[in-house]
Amino acid sequence: KWNDGIEVAKSLIADSEIEYISFDIFDTLVTRPLYKPQHVFELMDHEFKELIHTNASFLKIRTDGEAEARRRVALENVGHQDVTLDEIYQTIKDMYQLDDDIIEKLKNRENQLEIQLSSPRKSIRDLFNFAKSLNKKLIIVSDMYLKKDTIAQILEKNGYKGYDHLYLSSDIRLT
């Protein structure tokens, strides 16, 4: 069945009054083959169990660690509204007394999986390239805790180049 959504979006992008076009990263520019974003932690479970010889659930540890990191940031009241991946893993280290090398391996693996599992949403990449061809100013945003260089690798891998600004809540510490 015909859906004119892309054509409507193109006509809005082509409007001469529109100077800036903004795209969200996850579930808009890129997608991952996961039902929920947290399922990446389940993919890490086997490696986690081998690293520390446990039957504990990495999904639970990672989820609890992020929740606690967010609670700590809120309690510190330093003007930050969001957490970074480093803060999440530091909290996990504190909560479970894990060694630095294990924390680094887990954090690196999470970054690798996020890059590896990402794929472009082709219809949106077409809109992105259409806007770029019209010399629109392209802004990319995400409320993600990953570092800017990891997000840049995800964007590069999926063919998103030539944007003007990248705003991440983990970078500017705002939601």
Side-chain angles (χ1 to χ4, degrees):
K1 188 174 179 182
W2 170 251
N3 179 340
D4 67 347
I6 295 295
E7 296 309 314
V8 169
K10 282 183 176 179
S11 68
L12 292 169
I13 290 170
D15 185 331
S16 62
E17 297 289 315
I18 304 296
E19 184 179 354
Y20 293 89
I21 306 294
S22 177
F23 294 93
D24 184 69
I25 297 171
F26 293 97
D27 300 324
T28 303
L29 292 176
V30 300
T31 186
R32 296 168 284 182
L34 305 169
Y35 185 67
K36 293 180 179 179
Q38 297 83 358
H39 288 162
V40 74
F41 312 142
E42 287 181 6
L43 293 175
M44 296 173 63
D45 199 57
H46 179 73
E47 292 171 69
F48 173 73
K49 288 176 178 175
E50 284 187 354
L51 273 174
I52 66 166
H53 309 291
T54 183
N55 285 328
S57 163
F58 184 69
L59 171 64
K60 177 159 179 33
I61 288 170
R62 176 60 177 74
T63 303
D64 290 350
E66 183 174 340
E68 177 61 17
R70 291 183 184 285
R71 189 188 73 75
R72 288 179 182 183
V73 164
L75 284 176
E76 289 172 4
N77 198 24
V78 292
H80 297 162
Q81 296 175 351
D82 210 353
V83 296
T84 66
L85 191 64
D86 289 337
E87 289 169 333
I88 293 168
Y89 275 93
Q90 180 61 50
T91 302
I92 291 169
K93 179 184 176 207
D94 296 345
M95 290 172 68
Y96 298 97
Q97 292 82 48
L98 297 175
D99 293 335
D100 286 337
D101 63 320
I102 289 173
I103 289 296
E104 278 304 306
K105 285 178 184 174
L106 291 168
K107 186 170 42 171
N108 289 337
R109 183 62 179 144
E110 183 173 337
N111 279 320
Q112 290 170 349
L113 281 171
E114 290 289 0
I115 296 165
Q116 177 186 346
L117 293 172
S118 69
S119 61
R121 189 173 299 275
K122 290 179 175 73
S123 59
I124 304 300
R125 189 173 59 194
D126 290 345
L127 290 176
F128 178 91
N129 288 330
F130 178 67
K132 190 166 73 170
S133 75
L134 296 174
N135 295 315
K136 302 292 182 170
K137 291 187 172 91
L138 300 173
I139 298 171
I140 299 178
V141 299
S142 184
D143 60 347
M144 180 52 105
Y145 44 74
L146 295 174
K147 287 185 176 184
K148 203 170 201 172
D149 66 326
T150 303
I151 296 293
Q153 288 178 56
I154 290 169
L155 292 169
E156 174 85 17
K157 173 194 175 223
N158 291 290
Y160 296 104
K161 303 171 188 170
Y163 49 88
D164 294 284
H165 298 287
L166 173 59
Y167 295 108
L168 302 174
S169 57
S170 62
D171 190 41
I172 61 174
R173 305 306 298 266
L174 300 170
T175 55

